[in-house]
Amino acid sequence: MEKIQLLQDRKAKIASAAKEIRDDVNAIIDEGSFVELSAFSFSKNDFYNEDVTGEGVVTGFATVDGYPFYIVAQNYKVCDGGMSKANCDKIVKCLDLADKNRTPVIYLLNTHGVQVGEGVTVLEGLGKLLLRCAQAKKFAPQYVIVNGDVYGSAAMLASIANFSFFVESKSVLAVNSPFVLSAKAGKNVAKEEVGSAKALKNSGIPSFEVKDLSEAREKILALTNLRVEPVIDAELNESIPALNESVTVDGILSIFESYMEVNASYEPEIKTILGRVGGISVAAIVFDGGDDGVELNAAKFAKLKNFVDVAFYRQLPLITFANVKGICPCLEVNNSRALKEAAEYLELFEMLDTPKISVVYKKAIGLGYSLFASKSIRFDYSCAFANAKIALFDNVQGAQIEMNDAGVDQAVLAQRYADENSDPVNAAKDGYIDAIIEPQFVKQYLISALQMLAE
């Protein structure tokens, strides 16, 4: 009986220490579905002179709307959610199971950094955890919810994960504590100015900003449900007459039966979309450059790179809706990582072995055509709207500036790059474009191409 009483006392201690974090877990999972792993993991923290109940992290498995997930939830009530070697080992054990069973993982992160007193030992644990997280993400999709303050090396988990969720008025992520950053800056900086979703809009880390954990749950389910769904014949043959009147981004987005935008606050001229076309799940890049077209820089290529990575790991067809002119012609971009980022994007794009489709819906100019419409970089199918523009230069003036010192007859140059010679039919004549289409019929062409290429 003494052993039973001891077990009951230990379970009561664990339940008391983890009450709040279990409430957060329960907001994500199906009621009564959570099974805890390594519940009796305890170690002695010499600095605080106390047992670290459950290592300050709750791990286990559960279902979300009937789908299985592994759960990793940092318990801020134990040593401020402090990371320790044992803490990292406990998470790695959970990741090993997730990887083995090809099951996605949901993290609820909340930590002020490492537990003081472990020295280099905890750094070894962090190295092991970060590497395992990177290794597992291909077969075990990972969703990080920044469930409060996340400071220190644990912030890297949000950058490695497939998708990261920031909760409004709650989430703060920083690799260095805001206190350290304030001291370095010589002024007080509010933590929200350091690591909220809005403060990190240029980092590419926040995939979504949500109101609460319930909204995070719904988005995780939508991402998990990326699969083929049947649609009725009428939808398959659906035209979009408004696109013939005016080609807009809203019109392009109406092609999808359903969709969600990833990293919406980061480089908004490039929309990265997960959605369905004809019931088929796809990843889509929509260049939103208005009549001028998008000019690229290092940050835009970084966003494209991250999204192609998503398509690769989820094995989704990639559709590119091109309205892009190439790299921005300015000194700042010229002296940046733009070309290196472009090269790395191309390497990832080449690795993607799912169907790749290009739709030139407005412009594909110069390098913009080469990277986002060219058959030579292995687009399986490419089409262009009848009123689109495909050319080496965007206009006659651009050609004249570029060729000013080349001894070229300016009249001949003007004729060569007149608007009528940017007609996509010229590219189609050489076999570089598979079809010139009326904009209103684009969905039908895409569904036909997806069905053909998926077989």
Side-chain angles (χ1 to χ4, degrees), residues 228-231 236 255 257 276-280 443 447 450-451:
V228 176
E229 288 192 346
V231 293
L236 293 176
I255 293 168
E257 292 100 51
R276 291 194 180 91
V277 179
I280 300 172
K443 183 171 183 176
I447 291 172
L450 287 166
Q451 290 176 337

Side-chain angles (χ1 to χ4, degrees), residues 1 32 37 53 79 137 148 224 226 249 262 272 312 329 349 357 426:
M1 291 297 294
L37 298 171
T53 308
C79 294
K137 68 183 277 190
T224 303
L226 289 173
V249 168
V262 183
T272 43
F312 176 80
F349 183 86
I357 298 171
N426 292 317

Side-chain angles (χ1 to χ4, degrees), residues 2 14 45 155 201 333 362 375 401 427:
E2 291 181 4
I14 292 169
N45 186 298
K201 66 179 183 179
V333 173
K362 279 202 172 181
K375 298 290 284 188
I401 293 170

Side-chain angles (χ1 to χ4, degrees), residues 206-226:
S207 303
F208 301 98
E209 188 172 17
V210 296
K211 293 180 181 179
D212 51 29
L213 293 178
S214 295
E215 186 179 350
R217 167 194 163 101
E218 294 308 310
K219 287 195 178 295
I220 289 170
L221 279 174
L223 292 164
T224 303
N225 283 330
L226 289 173

Side-chain angles (χ1 to χ4, degrees), residues 414-447:
Q415 176 59 35
R416 178 68 180 84
Y417 291 102
D419 284 345
E420 60 266 25
N421 289 325
S422 299
D423 191 315
V425 168
N426 292 317
K429 286 178 181 177
D430 294 322
Y432 302 139
I433 295 291
D434 293 306
I436 310 297
I437 65 174
E438 285 187 47
Q440 67 172 331
F441 299 128
V442 60
K443 183 171 183 176
Q444 297 170 28
Y445 278 89
L446 288 174
I447 291 172

Side-chain angles (χ1 to χ4, degrees), residues 16 36 124 186 201 207 272 274 359 391:
S16 175
E36 188 168 358
E124 282 288 343
K201 66 179 183 179
S207 303
T272 43
L274 296 173
V359 180

Side-chain angles (χ1 to χ4, degrees), residues 285-288 293-294 319-325 357-365 368-369 372-373 383 388-389:
I285 296 166
V286 181
F287 287 94
D288 182 9
V294 174
I319 305 174
T320 301
F321 293 91
N323 180 21
V324 56
K325 297 194 292 188
I357 298 171
S358 174
V359 180
V360 182
Y361 81 99
K362 279 202 172 181
K363 290 183 179 180
I365 307 296
Y369 171 82
F372 304 106
C383 64
K389 185 175 184 178

